[in-house]
Amino acid sequence: MVDGKAKLIGMIEDRTAKVGIIGLGYVGLPLAIHFGQSGFNVIGFDSDSEKIDKLLKGESYIKHVSIVPVTEMIETGRFDVTSDFERLKAVDCILICVPTPLTEKMEPDLTYLVETTETIARHLRAGQLVVLESTTYPGTTEEMILPRLRAGGMEAGSDFFLAYSPEREDPGNKTFSASNTPKIVGGTTPACLDIAQALYNCITRAVPVSSTRAAELVKILENTFRSVNIALVNELKVLSHKMDIDIFEVIDAAATKPFGYSPFYPGPGLGGHCIPIDPFYLSWKAREYDFSTRFIHLAGEINVSMPHYVIEKTMEALNRDKKSMKGSRILVLGVAYKKDVDDDRESPGYAIMKMLLEKGADVYYNDPWIAHLRPTRKYDFQMNSTLLTPELLAETDAVIIVTDHSAYDFGDIVRHSRLVIDTRNATKGITGAGDKIVMA
Ligand SMILES: NC(=O)c1ccc[n+]([C@@H]2O[C@H](COP(=O)([O-])OP(=O)(O)OC[C@H]3O[C@@H](n4cnc5c(N)ncnc54)[C@H](O)[C@@H]3O)[C@@H](O)[C@H]2O)c1
């Protein structure tokens, strides 16, 4: 008799296993395309029916994700998208890619994950593999997901299989995608690990670790590493301004060292769904062990102070020009959290805009990829992106470069502006601007 494990691995290897992906956002949609292109039939599930309608109409809602492969896969019957979770029964491998944000009190908000797990539990059948891909604290798969899936009487490792494999998506990265980025995999039991490893080996190189908890911590280590190193260069940036040393020149020079150093760059503060959030998942969990994650807190403190620093530098520069912040016309260039993406989650641009408005400035923004500012958990600006013209720049008291999108011609921007506050080194190499450019 063929056991459940051998059967599922066989189906994965001959691509007859059907893959279901829950949450078709920045992580889930590219992953669905990737599995489809690796020969699997895929069903994408999302509770947002607008997203499903868009995909079916041939429209992408993520700038850097082309709709072409999605439409091609839908037309050839290899990809289907739905909000009907009854269809979970029809898939063999279920990958969870739903959001894991923080609450107002900076604690893990597992609402989406709990809801998804309960939906899976209602439809779980013998022989299925469930993998969590969302970023979370060590212990989530074992403590939150496993008991809910076992509640129906089935056992992990024999009846169904459970694993954790963190997503390593870097939106907009043209060098590394899902196909050439190894995937960490941890299983609830050895059988769970073997199956998950077999699945991910079909799309890239799977790297096994001893448990789901270790795999969960790998992801948080990776993001905490970035957060701490960015905080280090942000702090050094403030010092280097006082010392009149160009921090970007220093970082680039240090990066010529072929060992023991990796470059990280300062900016207006942290943004995106991962780096400002994930470390706090760990510090929350650490409290259960009476342990304080001091590096995480210090890095968070420094990174959160960066928008304040940008405001301070802007006020100083306006003051130099005999202007007050109150009443000044200020243009924020870029509200995406990094260049060339249309993702504004946790953007430091919003913290900057809020402070500018509180200080009485007349604030507007431009972002070629974000036409309208939707309300977020913290902010509700209700603004539309302003058309970037020489006339607009000429009548603006200060332009703050928050995001260095490739679409911007910074030479032109500096030429037409009165004052440019550069938080990204976007004006590097522009000469003849006198003291018009202020690094912040
Ligand atoms: N964005 C990134 O670059 C990135 C990188 C690595 C890891 N991650 C992690 O991956 C996870 C997903 O992030 P994302 O950026 O793709 O989020 P996202 O908001 O872009 O996408 C999540 C999707 O899940 C859907 N959803 C929410 N609740 C649902 C439910 N109950 N059932 C079905 N669908 C539901 C939403 O409608 C949305 O389409 C998070 O844990 C995040 O930390 C994100």
Side-chain angles (χ1 to χ4, degrees):
M1 194 182 110
V2 182
D3 66 5
K5 170 183 153 182
K7 185 176 169 203
L8 190 48
I9 290 182
M11 288 167 70
I12 288 168
E13 284 173 351
D14 67 16
R15 305 293 194 271
T16 52
K18 202 172 237 190
V19 175
I21 295 182
I22 306 184
L24 297 174
Y26 285 88
V27 164
L29 186 58
L31 193 67
I33 297 171
H34 207 58
F35 271 103
Q37 289 176 336
S38 305
F40 289 91
N41 276 318
V42 180
I43 302 184
F45 298 83
D46 203 293
S47 50
D48 182 347
S49 55
E50 260 181 49
K51 284 189 175 154
I52 300 296
D53 290 346
K54 279 198 169 158
L55 292 176
L56 291 173
K57 275 194 260 164
E59 292 170 25
S60 178
Y61 40 79
I62 302 175
K63 182 183 93 63
H64 64 272
V65 178
S66 164
I67 194 68
V68 177
V70 175
T71 306
E72 195 260 330
M73 281 163 50
I74 290 177
E75 280 171 3
T76 53
R78 278 180 296 129
F79 187 34
D80 200 358
V81 289
T82 182
S83 292
D84 176 6
F85 291 86
E86 287 280 334
R87 295 184 61 195
L88 279 173
K89 286 195 188 81
V91 300
D92 303 290
C93 306
I94 301 173
L95 314 184
I96 308 171
C97 305
V98 297
T100 44
L102 290 174
T103 63
E104 295 276 322
K105 291 185 178 157
M106 305 293 277
E107 291 182 349
D109 175 1
L110 293 188
T111 324
Y112 303 97
L113 204 47
V114 170
E115 193 183 309
T116 302
T117 307
E118 286 172 352
T119 305
I120 296 172
R122 278 197 298 280
H123 301 290
L124 191 69
R125 61 163 173 80
Q128 281 181 318
L129 167 71
V130 178
V131 187
L132 175 60
E133 294 233 1
S134 304
T135 309
T136 185
Y137 57 80
T140 310
T141 309
E142 259 179 27
E143 295 159 16
M144 197 284 278
I145 299 189
L146 181 61
R148 284 175 169 80
L149 297 187
R150 288 171 71 191
M154 286 198 283
E155 267 315 316
S158 51
D159 301 318
F160 72 94
F161 305 95
L162 178 62
Y164 180 79
S165 180
E167 184 47 55
R168 282 170 157 173
E169 169 77 5
D170 183 16
N173 190 325
K174 294 191 171 60
T175 313
F176 293 105
S177 65
S179 60
N180 59 0
T181 305
K183 201 100 165 59
I184 302 297
V185 188
T188 300
T189 69
C192 299
L193 175 62
D194 290 346
I195 299 170
Q197 216 181 320
L199 179 69
Y200 289 109
N201 269 331
C202 296
I203 60 164
T204 183
R205 181 168 67 85
V207 179
V209 293
S210 62
S211 64
T212 53
R213 296 165 79 240
E216 286 158 339
L217 188 53
V218 169
K219 175 68 186 179
I220 299 205
L221 166 64
E222 291 169 5
N223 284 349
T224 303
F225 175 79
R226 283 193 64 75
S227 169
V228 166
N229 279 289
I230 292 169
L232 173 66
V233 288
N234 273 336
E235 187 175 69
L236 288 182
K237 169 182 79 171
V238 177
L239 177 63
S240 75
H241 286 160
K242 290 184 189 294
M243 293 175 149
D244 199 19
I245 296 171
D246 178 352
I247 185 68
F248 291 95
E249 181 193 358
V250 171
I251 293 169
D252 288 343
T256 60
K257 187 179 176 189
F259 50 88
Y261 182 81
S262 302
F264 287 84
Y265 294 94
L270 285 186
H273 189 282
C274 300
I275 321 268
I277 291 178
D278 304 346
F280 291 98
Y281 265 68
L282 185 61
S283 47
W284 176 84
K285 188 66 177 172
R287 278 189 245 151
E288 211 175 286
Y289 297 83
D290 283 333
F291 189 88
S292 164
T293 49
R294 287 177 291 160
F295 262 112
I296 291 176
H297 284 287
L298 181 60
E301 209 176 282
I302 294 172
N303 289 328
V304 163
S305 74
M306 283 302 117
H308 295 266
Y309 182 67
V310 174
I311 296 292
E312 211 177 284
K313 294 293 276 187
T314 308
M315 280 206 289
E316 269 174 25
L318 285 169
N319 201 36
R320 186 195 66 191
D321 294 348
K322 300 190 176 57
K323 290 178 187 170
S324 67
M325 176 78 88
K326 191 175 171 114
S328 283
R329 290 170 58 86
I330 299 188
L331 171 65
V332 171
L333 266 194
V335 290
Y337 80 89
K338 70 170 184 176
K339 76 190 282 182
D340 302 339
V341 301
D342 58 355
D343 189 349
D344 59 346
R345 287 178 291 182
E346 310 293 326
S347 170
Y350 290 156
I352 290 171
M353 284 171 70
K354 179 168 178 270
M355 282 186 267
L356 291 171
L357 287 166
E358 281 169 357
K359 293 191 183 312
D362 182 6
V363 182
Y364 38 108
Y365 87 96
N366 170 275
D367 193 304
W369 308 120
I370 300 172
H372 178 70
L373 303 187
R374 291 163 297 134
T376 68
R377 246 180 326 130
K378 277 200 222 154
Y379 307 107
D380 189 3
F381 296 113
Q382 295 293 351
M383 284 187 203
N384 292 322
S385 176
T386 314
L387 199 63
L388 193 59
T389 62
E391 295 73 31
L392 175 88
L393 291 169
E395 61 194 33
T396 296
D397 295 299
V399 174
I400 304 180
I401 302 172
V402 170
T403 319
D404 50 342
H405 288 306
S406 309
Y408 288 136
D409 179 338
F410 289 106
D412 231 34
I413 288 167
V414 170
R415 199 166 24 260
H416 294 290
S417 302
R418 298 181 199 171
L419 172 66
V420 176
I421 311 293
D422 183 0
T423 70
R424 297 282 189 183
N425 205 24
T427 57
K428 180 183 174 184
I430 294 174
T431 51
D435 58 3
K436 209 196 254 192
I437 300 173
V438 171
M439 301 304 288

